[in-house]
Amino acid sequence: MSEISIRPVKAQDINDVNSLEKECFITPWSIEVLLVDMFQSLYNRYFVVEKHGRIIGYAGINTVIDEAHIRKLCITTCERHNGYGLELLRYIENYCRNNGIKDLTLEVRRSNERAIRLYESFGFINEGIRPKYYDGIEDAIIMWKRDI
Ligand SMILES: CC(C)(COP(=O)(O)OP(=O)(O)OC[C@H]1O[C@@H](n2cnc3c(N)ncnc32)[C@H](O)[C@@H]1OP(=O)(O)O)[C@@H](O)C(=O)NCCC(=O)NCCS
């Protein structure tokens, strides 16, 4: 049995999510942006990963008809390489399947080799580039997993 559990985010998780956001992303969203994205869009869904009662990761998707865009996915540094990122991806895929979504997409920094390998091992395919997407400097790789 897995050591982690995954569930929809709740309002009281915001400080933990905000801490993870700062730890895991080069240009973290502010707490205000996180709050709006997590709780004020009908089309967004966020999930947190818990281990022994502590939040160690989270992910968020935006859905458009039968597509879902993975906006966020992270695991705290000291819990990486345990397969939790993959478990979180599986959870998202199951959620999407159960909710009529056919295709998954995301953008990832060209330099983020670990994330790209994880997505490729999960069946995502590189379908294009958004030049200088991150801060006008770094390219984004656009990946898709279709017909999930
Ligand atoms: C990308 C990210 C979510 C991956 O999380 P993770 O929990 O480490 O992911 P996993 O453990 O499932 O897989 C990552 C690696 O661990 C390996 N792994 C999985 N289970 C393992 C185990 N039991 N023992 C050793 N290694 C393992 C995987 O094969 C993979 O190896 P690779 O990087 O050499 O391909 C995490 O690195 C992260 O939060 N990064 C910062 C935020 C980020 O960049 N997010 C993506 C933005 S698009």
Side-chain angles (χ1 to χ4, degrees), residues 3-139:
E3 292 174 294
I4 60 165
S5 56
I6 303 175
R7 60 162 173 83
V9 72
K10 296 179 193 160
Q12 60 261 40
D13 301 326
I14 182 61
N15 289 330
D16 291 333
V17 170
N18 189 39
S19 300
L20 282 171
E21 176 76 13
K22 288 190 168 47
E23 178 200 323
C24 295
F25 293 100
I26 294 170
T27 48
W29 291 357
S30 68
I31 197 163
E32 291 79 15
V33 171
L34 280 173
L35 279 168
V36 170
D37 211 70
M38 289 195 302
F39 299 114
Q40 288 183 24
S41 168
L42 279 179
Y43 304 103
N44 291 357
R45 293 285 178 275
Y46 276 76
F47 308 100
V48 293
V49 181
E50 277 184 320
K51 184 175 180 183
H52 306 141
R54 195 168 70 91
I55 294 180
I56 62 150
Y58 73 98
I61 58 170
N62 170 257
T63 61
V64 182
I65 310 174
D66 59 359
E67 291 177 7
H69 184 168
I70 301 179
R71 291 166 72 67
K72 291 283 176 186
L73 183 103
C74 67
I75 298 290
T76 192
T77 318
C78 61
E79 296 285 357
R80 288 182 192 163
H81 290 285
N82 290 319
Y84 300 151
L86 187 61
E87 276 193 60
L88 186 51
L89 275 175
R90 284 204 189 104
Y91 180 97
I92 290 170
E93 185 178 63
N94 273 333
Y95 173 87
C96 288
R97 254 192 218 120
N98 293 335
N99 286 277
I101 288 161
K102 294 202 192 89
D103 302 322
L104 304 179
T105 186
L106 55 84
E107 280 117 15
V108 56
R109 286 177 185 268
R110 193 194 271 282
S111 63
N112 196 348
E113 289 171 14
R114 177 183 296 167
I116 292 170
R117 269 203 310 273
L118 173 65
Y119 297 138
E120 283 175 346
S121 73
F122 193 67
F124 276 89
I125 291 170
N126 175 345
E127 291 200 12
I129 301 286
R130 282 191 216 289
K132 300 187 177 172
Y133 180 71
Y134 296 103
D135 307 316
I137 298 171
E138 185 169 2
D139 296 347

